[in-house]
Amino acid sequence: MEMKKSIVVVSLIVPLLFLVPLFNGGIGTAIAARNQDASESWGYVEVRPKAHMFWWYYRSPYRVEDPNKPWPIILWLQGGPGASGVGIGNFQEVGPLDTNLKPRNSTWLRKADLLFVDNPVGTGYSFVEDNKLFVKTDVEAATDLTTLLIEIFNRNQSLQQSPLYIVAESYGGKYAVTLALSALKAIESGKLKLKLGGVALGDSWISPEDFVFSWGPLLKDVSRIDGNGLQKSNSVALKIKQQISAGQYEAATNSWRDLENIISDNSNSVDFYNFMLDSGMDPLSLTASELSQGISMKRYSRYLQSSKFTPGSDVDLDSLMNGAVKKKLKIIPQNVQWGGQSDSVFNAMYGDFMKPRIDEVDELLAKGVNVTVYNGQLDLICATKGTEAWVEKLKWEGLKTFLKMERSPIYCKGDKSTKAFTKSYKNLRFYWILGAGHFVPVDQPCVALDMVASITQSPAVSK
């Protein structure tokens, strides 16, 4: 990998004396380095002047060389907007280590290499030097991500041999579909040397309107709200629909916040990430809750700065990322705090937050891109009921056949109990994950691991 001013790669075992100051009164001279086996690398890409995006790549120790099935790379995109993939997705969901820095048996490295990105700029370790540089739309975020992929992949022929699968969670699904289209355009024009394997949308905020209409009926069916709560919920959902139709997206975001307060008040604070729980009962929903922490914008901002714990751990994610991890990485500027600009990221995207991205999914399907949709049974914020509703709005030519198909049950590791259902037709696949809330890899790690092995056609031997 050659030197470039905008890219930095530093590894675990690079001696400190090999490092030069990265920032000196703004953007400084960047260096490139890696350890001997290249098992980990990370760095910054200056995607625009004074806008710096951080990434972290793991090469799988379980890699299998198969000429018929190339080893895949998964790009994990977190939601928010403003939630950190490098922190949450990596240490709390699918990376090699948990927040106690202990090995995770269910790490997705068993099936693929992993690339985590703090996207958009301002998220996690990513940062801007000027507040005017925060992105305001999913499309702007996709442009920055495409720039990052060009920097990472174009100068590494080894990475170019692996198909890239974009796997997203929550709001990350909106980034995923806009990125996939942007990346395809860059690939077709010769600007990006990359094989796009597919896109997977996990509990993704693709159609806000369909989700807000799902909340009341779902909670009424499971006895969490009564008829009065349902009436209030449906009334605000209708208002949101009208605002979206009129292009009043910021007003729709305000009404979304109001609706979450109504849902909370009428359900005695249901957890939006697992409707079987009260808000605050699930440690992960306190730490990784993305679309809203606890119900309002104020709560969301508070979540980003509050204690973040993993189940079974007494380690605060914020302290971990600003402590041991930052110390290990060495290249994070001293004045940059992990998550320090995250609330600004959300605020900057306030006007795009409620915009649907169904058309982008349709466009990907029409282009022949493999699209997987998966949803946790117990999720509320991105409820399966809402996901099914937006899928049924697709104009894709294979939709009617897909909807008529029977589902197949999924089991895991010899367990005879049903863990999930799936069905697929041509390049669309859907997974219904039982017993899981918003964070599928945490709630059903075995099913999630088998699912990504199937999605990516990983040559890894199933165990």
Side-chain angles (χ1 to χ4, degrees):
M1 189 179 292
E2 64 184 16
M3 293 280 188
K4 179 162 175 73
K5 185 175 181 180
S6 63
I7 190 168
V8 184
V9 185
V10 184
S11 72
L12 274 168
I13 62 172
V14 177
L16 190 58
L17 57 89
F18 285 179
L19 302 179
V20 297
L22 180 62
F23 296 94
N24 184 11
I27 184 69
T29 302
I31 61 166
R34 64 183 183 184
N35 58 359
Q36 291 179 347
D37 63 3
S39 61
E40 289 185 50
S41 53
W42 55 83
Y44 279 102
V45 171
E46 189 174 20
V47 292
R48 282 172 286 124
K50 297 187 177 182
H52 311 275
M53 187 174 289
F54 184 80
W55 57 274
W56 193 341
Y57 168 75
Y58 294 88
R59 180 180 170 90
S60 172
Y62 306 95
R63 175 180 281 260
V64 175
E65 300 300 337
D66 184 339
N68 299 316
K69 280 187 176 183
W71 189 259
I73 299 173
I74 291 174
L75 167 60
W76 174 273
L77 296 179
Q78 209 76 36
S84 165
V86 167
I88 297 167
N90 184 4
F91 287 98
Q92 296 189 302
E93 300 196 66
V94 302
L97 302 177
D98 62 20
T99 53
N100 288 314
L101 303 183
K102 303 294 184 184
R104 174 177 284 108
N105 291 332
S106 59
T107 176
W108 286 7
L109 283 175
R110 292 185 176 275
K111 306 299 181 183
D113 290 1
L114 289 173
L115 174 61
F116 297 98
V117 178
D118 275 343
N119 162 78
V121 286
T123 299
Y125 290 128
S126 296
F127 67 97
V128 297
E129 297 178 53
D130 183 338
N131 287 344
K132 296 177 183 177
L133 298 175
F134 292 115
V135 301
K136 294 181 174 61
T137 69
D138 304 325
V139 173
E140 289 178 1
T143 300
D144 282 353
L145 277 169
T146 302
T147 299
L148 178 132
L149 292 179
I150 290 171
E151 293 293 338
I152 294 175
F153 280 82
N154 283 17
R155 49 186 33 83
N156 190 319
Q157 291 187 347
S158 176
L159 294 182
Q160 293 169 23
Q161 305 308 310
S162 294
L164 182 74
Y165 292 84
I166 305 170
V167 181
E169 184 175 86
S170 202
Y171 197 92
K174 293 183 71 183
Y175 301 141
V177 294
T178 49
L179 168 61
L181 291 172
S182 175
L184 281 175
K185 188 175 181 181
I187 291 168
E188 291 165 0
S189 66
K191 294 179 180 177
L192 173 59
K193 297 177 182 179
L194 173 71
K195 297 177 184 176
L196 181 62
V199 175
L201 309 173
D203 295 77
S204 288
W205 190 243
I206 294 295
S207 178
E209 175 185 315
D210 288 304
F211 289 119
V212 298
F213 269 103
S214 75
W215 295 348
L218 172 59
L219 292 178
K220 176 66 165 58
D221 286 346
V222 297
S223 306
R224 193 68 205 228
I225 64 173
D226 62 7
N228 293 329
L230 176 60
Q231 185 178 6
K232 294 174 185 177
S233 173
N234 285 345
S235 176
V236 179
L238 182 60
K239 179 181 178 182
I240 290 172
K241 176 183 174 69
Q242 293 166 344
Q243 289 168 329
I244 291 174
S245 297
Q248 299 170 346
Y249 293 108
E250 290 196 11
T253 302
N254 289 330
S255 297
W256 159 80
R257 179 184 58 191
D258 294 339
L259 177 56
E260 287 210 320
N261 283 320
I262 288 171
I263 292 291
S264 184
D265 291 343
N266 285 270
S267 65
N268 196 34
S269 299
V270 68
D271 190 319
F272 269 79
Y273 307 93
N274 185 328
F275 63 70
M276 297 294 287
L277 304 175
D278 289 347
S279 180
M281 286 177 64
D282 180 4
L284 189 62
S285 73
L286 286 176
T287 176
S289 49
E290 298 169 328
L291 294 177
S292 70
Q293 167 57 23
I295 314 311
S296 67
M297 294 288 293
K298 185 180 288 186
R299 279 280 189 92
Y300 174 86
S301 298
R302 193 182 308 149
Y303 132 69
L304 289 167
Q305 299 158 7
S306 67
S307 294
K308 306 166 182 68
F309 297 100
T310 297
S313 168
D314 57 0
V315 178
D316 177 312
L317 181 62
D318 191 76
S319 297
L320 175 69
M321 300 304 291
N322 283 310
V325 175
K326 185 175 180 179
K327 184 178 180 181
K328 164 190 169 174
L329 297 175
K330 296 185 174 69
I331 66 168
I332 312 300
Q334 189 171 358
N335 65 333
V336 171
Q337 288 289 305
W338 178 82
Q341 295 182 336
S342 293
D343 54 347
S344 298
V345 173
F346 188 104
N347 291 333
M349 296 191 71
Y350 206 84
D352 220 47
F353 183 77
M354 297 296 285
K355 285 187 179 179
R357 295 295 174 193
I358 304 173
D359 289 346
E360 285 78 0
V361 179
D362 250 329
E363 192 173 346
L364 289 172
L365 289 167
K367 288 178 177 291
V369 175
N370 292 319
V371 176
T372 300
V373 179
Y374 68 89
N375 238 85
Q377 176 191 29
L378 305 177
D379 191 10
L380 176 62
I381 192 82
C382 295
T384 302
K385 186 180 184 72
T387 300
E388 290 174 338
W390 72 252
V391 166
E392 290 175 8
K393 292 179 178 179
L394 291 170
K395 299 179 179 68
W396 175 56
E397 51 87 21
L399 182 65
K400 288 183 179 179
T401 304
F402 173 82
L403 294 175
K404 290 178 181 177
M405 294 183 68
E406 297 293 326
R407 303 188 305 175
S408 300
I410 293 176
Y411 310 96
C412 219
K413 288 187 177 177
D415 190 333
K416 299 299 182 183
S417 61
T418 309
K419 297 297 184 183
F421 291 94
T422 188
K423 69 176 178 180
S424 63
Y425 178 67
K426 292 189 174 179
N427 54 323
L428 177 63
R429 181 183 295 188
F430 199 119
Y431 286 88
W432 292 258
I433 315 294
L434 306 183
H438 192 64
F439 310 103
V440 168
V442 174
D443 294 338
Q444 290 288 8
C446 178
V447 174
L449 193 57
D450 284 355
M451 177 183 70
V452 296
S454 179
I455 291 171
T456 63
Q457 301 178 51
S458 174
V461 178
S462 297
K463 296 181 180 180

